[in-house]
Amino acid sequence: MDKPLPLDHLNFSALLRVPRRWLLFCLLITLHLVLVLGAESPMGRSLLFVHFGLFLLWQPFVGSRLVVPRPYLFLFALLLAGFVGFGWWALILWMIMLGGMVGGRVFFNVQLGVRLFYLIALTDLVASLLLVAVPTVIPAVFRSTNMLSGVATFVLPIVLVAMMLLLPRSAEESSPGSDSIDLIYGVFVMLLLAVLVTGSLAVMLLRRLGYFEALLATLAVMAMGLLVLALVWSPRAGFSGLGTLVWRYMLAEGMPFDRVLRDLTELARNEDSPLLFTQKACQLATTYLTWVSGGYWRISGLPASAKDSFGEHVGVEHLFVHGPLQLVLYSRRNMSPTLAWHTRLFVQLIGEYCQTKMQAHQLREMSYMQAVHETGARLTHDVKNLLQSLHTLCAASTQTGSESSAGFQALMQRQLPAITQRLQQTLNKLQQPVESSTQPLCPAEPWWTAMRQRYEENGVTMHAHSDALHKLIPGSLFDSALENLLQNAFDKRALDSQLKISASLRDSAGQVVLEVEDDGVAIDTQIATGLGWSLANSENGLGIGLYQVSKQANMLGYELGLRSNRDGAVCFCLSPIQREMPTSV
């Protein structure tokens, strides 16, 4: 069982649920009955109560789900009683207001059927007002004939038949926007009807004409005036039009856009911090928005301290939110729609700049973290190689009598300077993590000799062409490339103890080429495709190390790739980038 409504409230949505066009149709039927029976007759006054009840259900200003308190209903009843007491004059005024509401819907709807329905309803209202309601209040001496008024009283309801053909067939509304009213057009139509009625009465009394003659004269003058206004509002050539001047005034009210854009752009160029920018930009609000006395702001997504206040906090409070910016402004009086639009545009400009600066700050942090990550990843293999060399020295020193043996002394003389040099290079990379496009060159022969002494003991076959040994190479790049490639090969040999590994140095077109080959299984196609420019997800390496080597090689004019990738012949190659010569045209 439904719960009864409270005694002091009444919910209109519980009374009737029908489409609003049906309500307007019934509204006009009751209005015609009132015109036929007379606004001052007992039956006409009774129908007026029904008419206003239907209007309460049809009107778009108060939502149907709004619960109206009972005191407001009593006030409305008192106003209705006073309205009925004025008779025909009050009914004429009411029909003018009702015509403005219906006219506002004519210009608002875009659907042809809905617009035609409201246009017919407006035509019926205007004709009933001018031909039936107004003639009843003028003296009989000014009525040229009563026949037209009598015919209109009984003929105009036939127009409602055309409205019935356009009524919706179901209980659903045609569209969510069909209930809205354009307030500006509604007021314009209402003022036109008021001027038409009062103008007709004025011409009738001043010129001593009949009502219908005065009505035709007033219609002719208003039509001519509206035609001239339409031409001036939007001319076809020459003058820019009155409409352009009106919109220019509305857009320029209180805030010069060129100065605002210039100052905000200059401020955004000079301030990188979103906090300082927002603080200074909000202080401009009291300069350009003269109706604003002060306010306070906060940026979401930042610490709680990312807020500040400015000006005086007096007057009406308005909250504006755009992106991460939350801005509360105080105006000395309530903002008009134009001022609110200007203020909202100003806040949107600040919010967009603030959001851009926050994103730039996040990108700088990400770039810094990426630089730290890449630096650490680039130095990982250097540290691993140093640890391997230290492990070799520690293992040699643990052997009995190793301190006095000639082999141990030779090993120490070879490895300690190399370890010292590599540690110094690692410290230099930490102190200057940004990659350089140039590196010092060193002779290939002593570098290759040091590499042979380091890796031939680990079962790596190494050979070099005599032409390549007389060249100069970027030692740091070749160190990183050889160490990473051999370390990946060692990881593969941990899974296959019979794996053979070889490294070679050869000359190609006057440039030194480094190759590392093994006779293991081929690398997966997906990993091989992205080798050197994306991180590979592999169980045995071929990931971050080769990625860093490839980036370093590209900066120095080299490229790292696979010369061969098949079972039994997997060969990596570090070679100079071949520049393609442009063809002659």
Side-chain angles (χ1 to χ4, degrees):
M1 182 176 181
D2 295 337
K3 183 179 179 180
L5 293 174
L7 295 178
D8 59 340
H9 290 80
L10 181 62
N11 193 334
F12 284 143
S13 64
L15 295 178
L16 192 60
R17 296 180 184 274
V18 293
R20 292 184 182 271
R21 277 185 280 169
W22 279 96
L23 291 174
L24 180 59
F25 180 73
C26 298
L27 189 73
L28 295 179
I29 289 179
T30 56
L31 180 61
H32 280 288
L33 292 177
V34 172
L35 293 177
V36 172
L37 298 175
E40 297 178 350
S41 65
M43 184 61 69
R45 292 182 178 181
S46 301
L47 286 174
L48 274 178
F49 283 96
V50 178
H51 174 78
F52 284 112
L54 292 171
F55 170 76
L56 287 178
L57 297 175
W58 172 80
Q59 54 82 29
F61 304 105
V62 179
S64 60
R65 297 183 179 181
L66 179 66
V67 178
V68 180
R70 190 174 180 180
Y72 289 94
L73 296 179
F74 286 140
L75 179 61
F76 178 76
L78 292 176
L79 293 175
L80 182 61
F83 181 81
V84 174
F86 284 97
W88 283 105
W89 284 105
L91 184 60
I92 291 173
L93 179 61
W94 171 249
M95 292 178 68
I96 292 175
M97 297 174 60
L98 188 61
M101 298 179 194
V102 176
R105 288 198 172 184
V106 171
F107 294 101
F108 190 87
N109 287 279
V110 296
Q111 298 182 6
L112 180 60
V114 179
R115 179 182 293 182
L116 186 60
F117 175 84
Y118 285 111
L119 186 60
I120 296 175
L122 179 62
T123 304
D124 179 75
L125 267 174
V126 174
S128 300
L129 171 67
L130 299 177
L131 301 180
V132 179
V134 176
T136 58
V137 298
I138 61 177
V141 67
F142 292 104
R143 301 179 192 172
S144 57
T145 176
N146 291 330
M147 183 183 64
L148 185 60
S149 177
V151 171
T153 303
F154 296 98
V155 173
L156 283 178
I158 301 178
V159 179
L160 300 178
V161 177
M163 296 178 60
M164 292 182 61
L165 301 177
L166 298 173
L167 289 172
R169 296 293 182 264
S170 63
E172 299 179 356
E173 291 291 342
S174 57
S175 65
S178 62
D179 297 336
S180 302
I181 284 183
D182 193 316
L183 186 60
I184 301 299
Y185 283 109
V187 172
F188 183 72
V189 171
M190 185 179 67
L191 292 178
L192 280 181
L193 292 178
V195 171
L196 183 59
V197 172
T198 56
S200 300
L201 296 178
V203 172
M204 179 188 67
L205 295 176
L206 294 176
R207 295 293 182 181
R208 295 295 176 176
L209 299 176
Y211 169 72
F212 292 106
E213 289 82 357
L215 177 62
L216 292 177
T218 306
L219 284 174
V221 172
M222 291 186 62
M224 184 64 64
L226 290 176
L227 178 61
V228 173
L229 182 62
L231 293 176
V232 175
W233 185 269
S234 180
R236 295 295 179 267
F239 176 57
S240 59
L242 185 62
T244 304
L245 297 179
V246 172
W247 284 111
R248 185 181 302 171
Y249 169 76
M250 293 180 64
L251 292 176
E253 181 184 356
M255 190 173 70
F257 285 100
D258 54 346
R259 294 177 56 190
V260 170
L261 292 176
R262 181 194 63 194
D263 291 350
L264 284 180
T265 303
E266 187 68 22
L267 184 60
R269 186 182 299 112
N270 297 332
E271 292 293 345
D272 294 332
S273 171
L275 297 180
L276 294 177
F277 169 79
T278 306
Q279 181 181 12
K280 295 181 179 180
C282 289
Q283 290 175 355
L284 295 176
T286 56
T287 302
Y288 292 113
L289 308 179
T290 57
W291 55 91
V292 173
S293 60
Y296 58 90
W297 56 269
R298 187 184 184 282
I299 299 179
S300 60
L302 294 181
S305 59
K307 59 182 180 180
D308 196 7
S309 61
F310 58 95
E312 300 178 357
H313 296 179
V314 293
V316 184
E317 179 179 320
H318 304 274
L319 174 63
F320 298 91
V321 179
H322 185 79
L325 178 63
Q326 300 175 5
L327 180 60
V328 176
L329 296 177
Y330 292 88
S331 61
R332 297 177 178 86
R333 61 183 184 275
N334 198 14
M335 294 184 187
S336 64
T338 304
L339 295 182
W341 181 81
H342 281 284
T343 308
R344 188 176 299 107
L345 178 61
F346 184 79
V347 174
Q348 288 178 353
L349 290 174
I350 300 177
E352 287 294 334
Y353 276 119
C354 179
Q355 188 170 10
T356 301
K357 291 188 175 298
M358 289 184 62
Q359 292 175 351
H361 178 71
Q362 293 175 356
L363 287 176
R364 285 195 298 268
E365 290 185 347
M366 292 174 60
S367 299
Y368 176 76
M369 295 303 297
Q370 182 180 3
V372 173
H373 171 74
E374 291 183 356
T375 302
R378 188 168 60 249
L379 301 179
T380 299
H381 288 275
D382 293 342
V383 175
K384 287 174 60 178
N385 292 323
L386 290 172
L387 286 176
Q388 289 180 356
S389 300
L390 291 175
H391 283 311
T392 302
L393 293 178
C394 291
S397 64
T398 57
Q399 297 179 3
T400 305
S402 59
E403 294 81 358
S404 58
S405 63
F408 178 76
Q409 295 297 329
L411 179 63
M412 294 291 291
Q413 291 176 1
R414 291 196 310 267
Q415 294 294 336
L416 287 179
I419 294 175
T420 303
Q421 183 181 4
R422 294 302 302 275
L423 280 175
Q424 185 61 47
Q425 293 177 356
T426 303
L427 289 175
N428 293 337
K429 292 179 182 179
L430 287 173
Q431 293 174 358
Q432 188 179 3
V434 180
E435 292 283 1
S436 175
S437 59
T438 58
Q439 283 189 6
L441 301 178
C442 65
E445 186 173 3
W447 175 84
W448 183 251
T449 302
M451 294 299 106
R452 289 183 58 187
Q453 294 175 353
R454 183 184 304 178
Y455 291 110
E456 281 186 339
E457 298 177 355
N458 296 325
V460 179
T461 303
M462 306 185 68
H463 58 275
H465 295 182
S466 58
D467 295 338
L469 295 177
H470 296 88
K471 304 293 183 181
L472 296 177
I473 61 172
S476 178
L477 172 62
F478 275 64
D479 278 345
S480 300
L482 184 61
E483 290 169 359
N484 279 277
L485 294 174
L486 290 179
Q487 183 61 45
N488 291 331
F490 292 155
D491 293 339
K492 291 177 66 176
R493 191 165 61 181
L495 303 177
D496 182 9
S497 59
Q498 303 299 324
L499 187 71
K500 296 181 180 179
I501 305 173
S502 64
S504 63
L505 206 66
R506 61 181 178 86
D507 178 79
S508 176
Q511 298 289 335
V512 180
V513 176
L514 174 65
E515 294 180 350
V516 175
E517 185 176 359
D518 64 75
D519 59 351
V521 296
I523 301 174
D524 184 77
T525 305
Q526 184 177 0
I527 298 176
T529 302
L531 187 65
W533 61 271
S534 65
L535 298 179
N537 185 15
S538 177
E539 296 180 355
N540 58 346
L542 304 177
I544 185 65
L546 294 185
Y547 174 74
Q548 296 293 339
V549 171
S550 179
K551 288 184 60 178
Q552 183 182 6
N554 291 333
M555 291 182 180
L556 299 176
Y558 285 79
E559 60 181 352
L560 179 66
L562 276 170
R563 188 175 64 83
S564 173
N565 185 31
R566 63 179 186 274
D567 292 341
V570 179
C571 181
F572 287 89
C573 179
L574 177 66
S575 60
I577 298 176
Q578 300 297 326
R579 306 294 183 184
E580 296 182 359
M581 297 297 294
T583 58
S584 58
V585 180

